[in-house]
Amino acid sequence: MSKKYEEIDWGSIQHKVEDMLGNHFWSDLNHILPKRFPNVDLYETDKEGIIVVEVPGLHSTNDIQIKLDANILTVEGNVPYAYEASKQKLKLNERHIGVFSRTVKLPFHYTDEPVRAKYKNGLLEIRLNKIENDQTIAIQFEDD
């Protein structure tokens, strides 16, 4: 019997792979595969959906843009290069610098109320008010 996608413990799999293939596996793999950036956490309360996007190094609102299209949230931006040395002189480069885009499918419906977003300590927090599922719909009868 297979597990649902949401129930898979990816962190546990990562540790098992590391135990089997060695400590340098993820570092070596990072050089082969393109970086998946930025990392995202998503959770819900009764009234809100909260998306937390990890984007360290932003300097202003000009560095980032949030788009909503139906239940698809897209965060795009540019992490400015912040070092004195040129990119060619970096001996190790694991942090993402430059243009990025991340798309997330939202598992809930949200209202048209304004989206609230704040950026602090390298984390962008986006809050959307959820649509309540229990809605009573008024029915009107028309005379023939």
Side-chain angles (χ1 to χ4, degrees):
M1 179 186 265
S2 66
K3 287 185 168 186
K4 290 183 181 178
Y5 179 77
E6 298 88 27
E7 296 175 0
I8 296 173
D9 182 7
W10 292 107
S12 170
I13 292 171
Q14 179 178 347
H15 291 296
K16 289 175 184 174
V17 169
E18 189 173 293
D19 288 344
M20 191 168 48
L21 299 176
N23 292 343
H24 299 289
F25 174 76
W26 295 113
S27 178
D28 294 342
L29 190 62
N30 189 35
H31 295 291
I32 298 169
L33 298 175
K35 296 176 185 169
R36 196 180 98 122
F37 183 80
N39 293 324
V40 173
D41 290 334
L42 185 148
Y43 63 96
E44 297 178 60
T45 66
D46 290 340
K47 297 189 183 273
E48 292 182 307
I50 297 100
I51 302 95
V52 180
V53 185
E54 187 178 44
V55 281
L58 300 181
H59 297 292
S60 77
T61 56
N62 295 330
D63 294 334
I64 194 159
Q65 183 178 37
I66 302 168
K67 298 177 185 175
L68 281 167
D69 183 17
N71 274 26
I72 303 295
L73 173 89
T74 302
V75 178
E76 298 176 329
N78 185 19
V79 176
Y81 188 78
Y83 305 123
E84 294 176 16
S86 67
K87 287 183 183 180
Q88 293 78 18
K89 291 191 177 188
L90 289 176
K91 302 296 182 194
L92 180 63
N93 181 16
E94 293 182 352
R95 293 186 58 232
H96 181 86
I97 299 167
V99 176
F100 66 87
S101 179
R102 182 68 193 270
T103 301
V104 177
K105 183 174 184 196
L106 302 175
F108 55 84
H109 297 285
Y110 56 90
T111 66
D112 290 335
E113 293 181 28
V115 175
R116 295 170 318 281
K118 67 179 180 181
Y119 181 76
K120 184 176 181 182
N121 297 329
L123 298 176
L124 173 68
E125 181 182 271
I126 304 165
R127 291 181 171 264
L128 303 166
N129 291 325
K130 291 172 39 177
I131 294 175
E132 295 181 25
N133 290 334
D134 295 335
Q135 295 181 7
T136 303
I137 299 171
I139 302 170
Q140 295 181 356
F141 283 84
E142 295 181 10
D143 294 331
D144 289 337

